[in-house]
Amino acid sequence: MIKSVLIFNQLGKPRLLKFYTQLDTHTQQQILRSIHAQISKRPDTLCNFVENTQSLDNSNTRIIYRHYATLYFVFVTDLSESELGILDLIQVFVESLDRVFENVCELDLIFHFDEVHYV
């Protein structure tokens, strides 16, 4: 099950936050900061999966992410989801944004957030 979808830049500024469980804003910000701290310091040569993270209350979570230019596309899932399936989902999502915005960039996500939520 997908628990959340996060898109943030290299500085940790959120561009899209979608949580599928009820969390208050403070907890969401803590999760974002913790995930950014874990992912941003990882070299590009490591895999795109992080398991059993301390950032979330539940230890049965997995962070699956891709880094495109200045943006991190992150899916937080439980252990039953396929890592390669989620990576493919991220790729399809980015390709869909490319079709909508014709070579998507960070500014498209900022100024057209309603269309990003629609996609």
Side-chain angles (χ1 to χ4, degrees), residues 38 50-55 58-63 79:
Q38 289 179 8
V50 180
E51 291 190 23
N52 296 332
T53 61
Q54 292 81 24
S55 64
N58 190 353
S59 64
N60 296 326
T61 58
R62 179 181 294 138
I63 297 172
L79 297 178

Coordinates of all heavy atoms in Angstrom, one line a residue, residues 38 50-55 58-63 79:
Q38 N 17.7 11.7 5.0 CA 18.2 10.4 4.6 C 18.5 10.3 3.1 O 19.5 9.7 2.8 CB 17.1 9.3 4.9 CG 16.9 9.1 6.4 CD 15.8 8.1 6.7 OE1 15.4 7.4 5.7 NE2 15.5 7.9 7.9
V50 N 15.1 2.5 0.6 CA 15.5 2.6 1.9 C 14.4 1.9 2.8 O 13.3 2.3 2.8 CB 15.7 4.1 2.4 CG1 16.1 4.2 3.8 CG2 16.6 4.8 1.5
E51 N 14.9 0.9 3.5 CA 13.9 0.1 4.3 C 14.1 0.4 5.8 O 15.2 0.8 6.2 CB 14.1 -1.4 4.1 CG 13.6 -1.8 2.7 CD 13.6 -3.3 2.6 OE1 13.5 -4.0 3.6 OE2 13.7 -3.8 1.4
N52 N 13.0 0.1 6.6 CA 13.0 0.2 8.0 C 13.6 1.6 8.5 O 14.5 1.7 9.2 CB 13.9 -0.9 8.7 CG 13.2 -2.2 8.4 OD1 12.0 -2.4 8.3 ND2 14.0 -3.3 8.4
T53 N 13.0 2.6 8.0 CA 13.4 4.0 8.3 C 12.9 4.4 9.7 O 11.9 4.0 10.2 CB 12.9 5.0 7.3 OG1 11.5 4.9 7.3 CG2 13.4 4.6 5.9
Q54 N 13.7 5.2 10.3 CA 13.3 5.8 11.6 C 12.5 7.0 11.5 O 12.0 7.5 12.5 CB 14.6 6.1 12.5 CG 15.4 4.9 12.9 CD 16.3 4.4 11.8 OE1 16.7 5.1 10.9 NE2 16.7 3.1 11.8
S55 N 12.3 7.5 10.3 CA 11.5 8.7 10.0 C 10.0 8.5 10.3 O 9.3 9.4 10.6 CB 11.8 9.2 8.6 OG 11.3 8.3 7.7
N58 N 6.0 3.7 11.9 CA 5.9 2.3 11.6 C 7.2 1.7 11.0 O 7.7 2.3 10.1 CB 4.7 2.0 10.7 CG 4.4 0.6 10.6 OD1 5.1 -0.3 11.0 ND2 3.3 0.3 9.9
S59 N 7.8 0.7 11.5 CA 9.0 0.1 11.0 C 8.8 -0.7 9.7 O 9.7 -1.1 9.1 CB 9.7 -0.7 12.1 OG 9.0 -1.8 12.4
N60 N 7.5 -0.9 9.4 CA 7.2 -1.7 8.2 C 7.1 -0.8 7.0 O 6.1 -1.0 6.2 CB 6.0 -2.6 8.4 CG 6.2 -3.6 9.5 OD1 7.2 -4.1 9.7 ND2 5.1 -3.9 10.3
T61 N 7.9 0.1 6.8 CA 7.8 1.0 5.7 C 9.1 1.0 4.8 O 10.1 0.6 5.3 CB 7.6 2.5 6.1 OG1 8.7 2.9 7.0 CG2 6.3 2.6 6.9
R62 N 8.9 1.4 3.6 CA 10.0 1.4 2.6 C 9.9 2.7 1.9 O 8.8 3.1 1.5 CB 9.9 0.2 1.7 CG 11.0 0.2 0.6 CD 10.8 -1.0 -0.3 NE 11.0 -2.3 0.5 CZ 10.2 -3.3 0.3 NH1 9.2 -3.3 -0.5 NH2 10.5 -4.4 1.0
I63 N 11.0 3.4 1.7 CA 11.1 4.6 0.9 C 11.7 4.2 -0.5 O 12.7 3.7 -0.5 CB 11.9 5.7 1.6 CG1 11.3 6.1 2.9 CG2 12.1 6.9 0.7 CD1 12.2 7.0 3.7
L79 N 5.8 -2.9 3.1 CA 6.7 -3.9 2.6 C 6.1 -4.8 1.5 O 6.8 -5.5 0.9 CB 7.3 -4.7 3.7 CG 8.2 -3.9 4.7 CD1 8.7 -4.9 5.8 CD2 9.3 -3.2 4.1

